[in-house]
Amino acid sequence: MNKIAYVVLSFDNYSDLWPTCFECKEKFWRSRMPTYLVTNNKKPEFENVQVITTGPEISWSHRAKKAIQEITEEYILLMLEDYFVISVIDDGSINPFVSFMEATDADYLRIYPFPTLKFKDKGIQGIHPIPKESLYGVNLQPAIWKRDYLLKLLEGPDISAWEFEARQKNGVDTQVNGNLYTVDYSPFKMVNGVLQGKWYAPAIKDLKKVGINVDTKNRDILSQDKVLIYKSKILIRKMMGPKLIRKFKPLLKKCGIKFVTD
């Protein structure tokens, strides 16, 4: 029996991204783990992908909870439909993460590093506990979750993905404690293809470099000025780090940087 499943948590309004998502997975993700696509009502056919339908949209959390309840694997590698893998990765890269989680009773292991976190020690296999001074305990970047812990976080009222992340920020009353870890390196290359509901032009270029051509007929491309604004905000976040971001949050908001908790 497989211990881990690869789950793309999506919904029907983003169905135009599914072909690119699974073309990338088929080309680069060389793994035998079960793969699931979560949708509302659509039932597309992709090779080696099982579709879980959750019905008419109620909320992000309702859709996520209903889907996760149908999955029996103990661990879930959770991806969103606009995260595109662009380098080869196989079971040999993922299995040590699962073994680490079993050995440490970890609830969550982020497998894409926090851009603002720096660690003084080497950790275990490049893995570290997520420090309390980081902005987030968990979020929806690529990560391996213990299924039961994820379901615990999904209990309660219907909420959006942004609200889910805000509820799990370090130091907030709604955070659910867990044994949380992150890597300090990137085990694979990935691009975030969509920002503000539109294709992100630099991601399209990165995909084309690895032989993936994106169909943009059903979704606009983010304007160049908004791309520059986004890159500037990311640079500011990296340079400041979590402590300074907390301290200067009011000023950053005036400069147009938004926070999910607002």
Side-chain angles (χ1 to χ4, degrees), residues 44-72:
E45 293 185 3
F46 296 105
E47 189 173 358
N48 301 317
V49 177
Q50 301 177 59
V51 176
I52 298 176
T53 57
T54 58
E57 186 70 3
I58 295 175
S59 69
W60 178 88
S61 61
H62 176 272
R63 173 166 32 92
K65 183 177 181 180
K66 188 172 181 180
I68 300 305
Q69 287 173 333
E70 293 191 27
I71 296 170
T72 58

Side-chain angles (χ1 to χ4, degrees), residues 59 66 146 189 245:
S59 69
K66 188 172 181 180
K146 185 180 288 184
K189 293 181 180 179
I245 287 175

Side-chain angles (χ1 to χ4, degrees), residues 118-185:
K118 305 295 181 184
F119 298 97
K120 295 180 180 179
D121 61 272
K122 294 183 179 180
I124 302 173
Q125 303 171 24
I127 300 172
H128 307 260
I130 296 178
K132 292 297 182 182
E133 62 267 22
S134 67
L135 289 177
Y136 291 95
V138 304
N139 65 17
L140 294 173
Q141 292 284 324
I144 301 173
W145 299 73
K146 185 180 288 184
R147 174 184 177 275
D148 291 346
Y149 177 70
L150 179 54
L151 284 173
K152 187 175 181 181
L153 267 60
L154 291 168
E155 293 176 355
D158 291 326
I159 55 175
S160 68
W162 296 272
E163 290 170 323
F164 174 84
E165 290 188 331
R167 287 166 64 91
Q168 301 310 318
K169 292 186 74 171
N170 279 328
V172 301
D173 294 338
T174 53
Q175 186 182 27
V176 178
N177 291 329
N179 199 7
L180 315 178
Y181 292 86
T182 183
V183 296
D184 62 11
Y185 67 100

Side-chain angles (χ1 to χ4, degrees), residues 2-233:
N2 289 286
K3 295 180 179 179
I4 183 170
Y6 184 106
V7 179
V8 177
L9 184 54
S10 187
F11 74 124
D12 289 3
N13 287 354
Y14 270 41
S15 61
D16 60 298
L17 305 183
W18 299 343
T20 303
C21 176
F22 289 107
E23 184 180 358
C24 287
K25 183 181 184 300
E26 191 66 23
K27 183 172 184 177
F28 297 112
W29 201 284
R30 298 171 186 176
S31 171
R32 294 184 298 273
M33 71 177 71
T35 300
Y36 300 91
L37 168 64
V38 180
T39 74
N40 295 113
N41 299 302
K42 291 186 177 182
K43 298 179 180 180
E45 293 185 3
F46 296 105
E47 189 173 358
N48 301 317
V49 177
Q50 301 177 59
V51 176
I52 298 176
T53 57
T54 58
E57 186 70 3
I58 295 175
S59 69
W60 178 88
S61 61
H62 176 272
R63 173 166 32 92
K65 183 177 181 180
K66 188 172 181 180
I68 300 305
Q69 287 173 333
E70 293 191 27
I71 296 170
T72 58
E73 284 77 15
E74 183 178 359
Y75 296 98
I76 291 174
L77 197 164
L78 191 65
M79 299 281 283
L80 301 183
E81 70 284 292
D82 58 350
Y83 292 153
F84 305 124
V85 177
I86 58 171
S87 68
V88 172
I89 185 168
D90 56 22
D91 286 337
S93 301
I94 298 299
N95 288 341
F97 293 147
V98 177
S99 297
F100 173 87
M101 294 183 73
E102 290 179 315
T104 59
D105 195 29
D107 294 304
Y108 168 90
L109 172 57
R110 177 177 163 126
I111 58 173
Y112 212 73
F114 284 98
T116 58
L117 282 184
K118 305 295 181 184
F119 298 97
K120 295 180 180 179
D121 61 272
K122 294 183 179 180
I124 302 173
Q125 303 171 24
I127 300 172
H128 307 260
I130 296 178
K132 292 297 182 182
E133 62 267 22
S134 67
L135 289 177
Y136 291 95
V138 304
N139 65 17
L140 294 173
Q141 292 284 324
I144 301 173
W145 299 73
K146 185 180 288 184
R147 174 184 177 275
D148 291 346
Y149 177 70
L150 179 54
L151 284 173
K152 187 175 181 181
L153 267 60
L154 291 168
E155 293 176 355
D158 291 326
I159 55 175
S160 68
W162 296 272
E163 290 170 323
F164 174 84
E165 290 188 331
R167 287 166 64 91
Q168 301 310 318
K169 292 186 74 171
N170 279 328
V172 301
D173 294 338
T174 53
Q175 186 182 27
V176 178
N177 291 329
N179 199 7
L180 315 178
Y181 292 86
T182 183
V183 296
D184 62 11
Y185 67 100
S186 300
F188 56 89
K189 293 181 180 179
M190 180 197 75
V191 293
N192 187 185
V194 173
L195 293 173
Q196 301 172 25
K198 298 181 179 181
W199 279 107
Y200 182 51
I204 294 176
K205 291 181 180 179
D206 288 336
L207 288 163
K208 189 173 183 179
K209 288 177 183 177
V210 296
I212 304 293
N213 294 310
V214 172
D215 184 354
T216 59
K217 292 195 301 289
N218 297 311
R219 188 176 297 272
D220 292 336
I221 298 175
L222 194 68
S223 64
Q224 187 173 1
D225 59 332
K226 290 186 177 180
V227 168
L228 291 174
I229 291 171
Y230 170 77
K231 287 184 174 181
S232 299
K233 291 177 179 179

